[in-house]
Amino acid sequence: MRLRIDEDGIRNVVEEAIGKSLTACLQCSKCGGGCSHSEEFDLTPRQVVESLLDCQDQNVLDSRMIWLCGRHCSGCQAVCPVGLPLNDIMAVLREEALKLDIEPKYEQPSLVYHKFEHCAKHRGEGEASESMVGGETQPA
Amino acid sequence: MSKKTLVIGGGIAGITAAQKIAQNGGEVILIEKEGELGGNFAKLAYTFPVLADAKMIVTREIQTAKATSGIEILPQTELRGVSGSAGDFTVELNSPSGTRSEHVGAIIVAAGFHYMEPTAYTEYSYGRSPKVVTSLEFEKMAAENRLPKGNARVVFVHCVGSRDKAKGYRYCSKICCSYSAKHAIMMKKANPDSKAYVFYIDIRALGKGYEEFIRDAMEVYNVRYIRGRVAKVIESGSKLIVRAEDSLIGNPVEVEADLVVLASAMEPPEGSRDLAGILGIATDEYGFFQEAEVNVRPCHSSKSGIFLAGSCTQPMEIASAVAMGGLAASEALTLIR
Ligand SMILES: Cc1cc2nc3c(=O)[nH]c(=O)nc-3n(C[C@H](O)[C@H](O)[C@H](O)COP(=O)(O)OP(=O)(O)OC[C@H]3O[C@@H](n4cnc5c(N)ncnc54)[C@H](O)[C@@H]3O)c2cc1C
Ligand code: SF4
Ligand code: SF4
Ligand code: SF4
């Protein structure tokens, strides 16, 4: 499928909410490597940012990723070299999706994910991923 | 008017400046805070983009400087004070043998760079695992024949401390793409059974022969380049697990490694702001010495009669440091002849 690039989209809502421009993104993909859940995602956090920049709103709002992300973890933003609050970005996207009556998509991944897999401590990983930067952003 | 020039720093930029001034009839006092000349060049095993023998070249240049009449070399010496103006400075030099005062017409600052210790990068297990080293440590391992033997896998990590506003510097260190390729090739040459991986954001290797050098790493030496900044290095038994996102696939990937090499940032030399304070010249937002004009006066500091050379102005490779040393020398000669 060929995507049509645009300039007007949900990106503006997101940028206003986080108080930062998404143009800060270095396109380095460190976030996706730092996330403990990206193997369950349909979009990596970097792809969400990229899609937002080019206003592929539907792609992002229909994704599973925005629902699976952001529960007590922030492995992505703890290592982001420009400090983009990915956690908050996903929270804004969930709100926007709800406003548009888009059905949340929580079910797909294994339950293990909710119990242990999300927690870096249980996986004996580096402290960066244990950081709570960004705090809780449970969807409403 | 004094006929002498003071050169601060005995790396390749300072050595070159001293040689050129003396070869053109000037007199030089070359001060080096360490016991030996050579600076960071002397810590390298080979040089990109041709894999030249670093020790041989730097030793030759040091010998030339020592053999050239008109150059007085003062090791373990630092600048304590400066007064006067262009053509007529008085400088205070502090050596183990004591302090002395000298008249000089010009000053060249060639204080080089410091290599960042990436201790902030706990996500890379640096400082925790002895199998995670910096590129400068890799040079030492190579020189001492301590590279991994057998069927080892080595992962090279780009942009550690550079292009990182959060934990390091916003700038790009310019040459680590090139020396990481050099290291991967050195690894494969030293141990053809090894596997080498390079994780990159984008590849910045600008210079004659550099692109070809990178392509050779991939095509001739079979070094695998994966696009994506490394996010984590996890200790796992006797191995390391390197995690990243392969951004061309858009999927998380991991690779097991025996050695991880971090291409850390080239930062301003230690004490650069103090030295700038003594000299009365400007530094940039990072602490590198500030040139008067980037395009056509890269060797002029903010003060008349004080010139800059080499990696104390920005990260650079040897060839640029040499070019700047030569230009700084000719600027100094206009004042002392
Ligand atoms: C891992 C690594 C690999 C590299 N590989 C290559 C390569 O393959 N090819 C290449 O072209 N380049 C390479 N480089 C870059 C190369 O090291 C630099 O270009 C070169 O060393 C710059 O020379 P310089 O004289 O500007 O600085 P330096 O080599 O840093 O020398 C500066 C000198 O000044 C002295 N000094 C500092 N402050 C003072 C003071 N206040 N008073 C007196 N003396 C002082 C220092 O002790 C030092 O001796 C590599 C760098 C690194 C880190
Ligand atoms: S907030 Fe957690 S789940 Fe979401 S992208 Fe970051 S690390 Fe992954
Ligand atoms: S880690 Fe930060 S800068 Fe890098 S791709 Fe992700 S959001 Fe962008
Ligand atoms: S030269 Fe390459 S490795 Fe070094 S900071 Fe720049 S892009 Fe990163």
Side-chain angles (χ1 to χ4, degrees), chain B residues 8-14 31-34 36-41 44 46-49 77-79 110-115 135-136 139 175 179 182-183 210 266 269-271 275 309-312 316-319 321:
Chain B
I8 304 169
I12 194 62
I31 64 169
E32 165 56 55
K33 71 172 179 185
E34 304 294 337
E36 304 285 335
L37 298 185
N40 283 291
F41 193 170
L44 308 181
Y46 297 96
T47 59
F48 65 74
T77 301
E78 289 192 56
L79 179 72
F113 68 96
H114 181 256
Y115 201 56
S135 299
L136 203 52
E139 293 277 352
I175 62 164
Y179 70 61
K182 173 185 79 172
H183 290 166
Y210 287 28
M266 286 168 82
E270 280 174 312
L275 181 57
S311 57
C312 62
M316 64 175 66
E317 69 285 357
I318 293 161

Side-chain angles (χ1 to χ4, degrees), chain B residues 72-327:
Chain B
E72 183 184 10
I73 299 172
L74 300 176
Q76 289 180 280
T77 301
E78 289 192 56
L79 179 72
R80 281 297 143 81
V82 181
S83 59
S85 59
D88 188 20
F89 290 109
T90 303
V91 296
E92 290 281 302
L93 305 177
N94 188 59
S95 308
S97 56
T99 306
R100 75 187 226 207
S101 192
E102 286 279 347
H103 284 287
V104 297
I107 300 174
I108 295 175
V109 185
F113 68 96
H114 181 256
Y115 201 56
M116 181 177 145
E117 209 26 49
T119 40
Y121 289 83
T122 48
E123 72 264 39
Y124 293 159
S125 293
Y126 184 76
R128 226 181 7 247
S129 168
K131 295 181 171 176
V132 181
V133 301
T134 65
S135 299
L136 203 52
E137 291 169 297
F138 185 88
E139 293 277 352
K140 193 155 188 268
M141 290 169 74
E144 294 170 359
N145 220 343
R146 288 190 287 113
L147 296 182
K149 307 268 186 306
N151 188 18
R153 214 187 258 136
V154 182
V155 171
F156 297 90
V157 180
H158 275 191
C159 307
V160 179
S162 308
R163 307 178 72 187
D164 187 341
K165 218 161 58 171
K167 282 198 246 191
Y169 300 100
R170 207 173 151 207
Y171 59 80
C172 159
S173 286
K174 186 183 171 192
I175 62 164
C176 13
C177 283
S178 303
Y179 70 61
S180 292
K182 173 185 79 172
H183 290 166
I185 293 174
M186 280 161 60
M187 187 64 229
K188 296 289 272 194
K189 285 185 92 149
N191 173 4
D193 292 335
S194 63
K195 306 270 178 298
Y197 287 79
V198 178
F199 283 86
Y200 68 98
I201 304 178
D202 37 44
I203 299 170
R204 300 180 172 177
L206 302 181
K208 182 175 172 174
Y210 287 28
E211 169 70 7
E212 296 90 326
F213 187 67
I214 303 273
R215 291 308 315 172
D216 279 354
M218 297 181 198
E219 296 174 32
V220 179
Y221 294 95
N222 206 12
V223 177
R224 170 81 182 120
Y225 272 71
I226 298 178
R227 187 166 171 277
R229 190 175 204 156
V230 169
K232 286 184 198 175
V233 177
I234 304 159
E235 291 183 86
S236 165
S238 65
K239 301 272 184 182
L240 298 161
I241 309 280
V242 179
R243 290 213 175 137
E245 173 184 329
D246 181 329
S247 64
L248 295 177
I249 305 179
N251 214 71
V253 294
E254 64 181 29
V255 57
E256 206 178 64
D258 300 281
L259 180 70
V260 170
V261 184
L262 308 179
S264 192
M266 286 168 82
E267 56 187 12
E270 280 174 312
S272 66
R273 289 193 170 94
D274 297 340
L275 181 57
I278 294 173
L279 291 162
I281 61 174
T283 51
D284 64 16
E285 57 182 309
Y286 306 109
F288 286 112
F289 295 94
Q290 179 71 52
E291 57 281 83
E293 199 187 278
V294 194
N295 297 116
V296 282
R297 304 203 319 155
C299 286
H300 289 253
S301 76
S302 60
K303 189 165 166 180
S304 175
I306 303 184
F307 305 104
L308 311 173
S311 57
C312 62
T313 59
Q314 58 178 291
M316 64 175 66
E317 69 285 357
I318 293 161
S320 296
V322 168
M324 245 184 131
L327 181 56

Side-chain angles (χ1 to χ4, degrees), chain A residues 104-125:
Chain A
K105 302 178 186 63
Y106 289 117
E107 304 79 33
Q108 281 87 339
S110 67
L111 268 179
V112 178
Y113 155 72
H114 291 289
K115 284 191 176 143
F116 296 113
E117 284 290 290
H118 72 278
C119 180
K121 250 183 249 166
H122 290 109
R123 302 164 63 131
E125 296 175 7

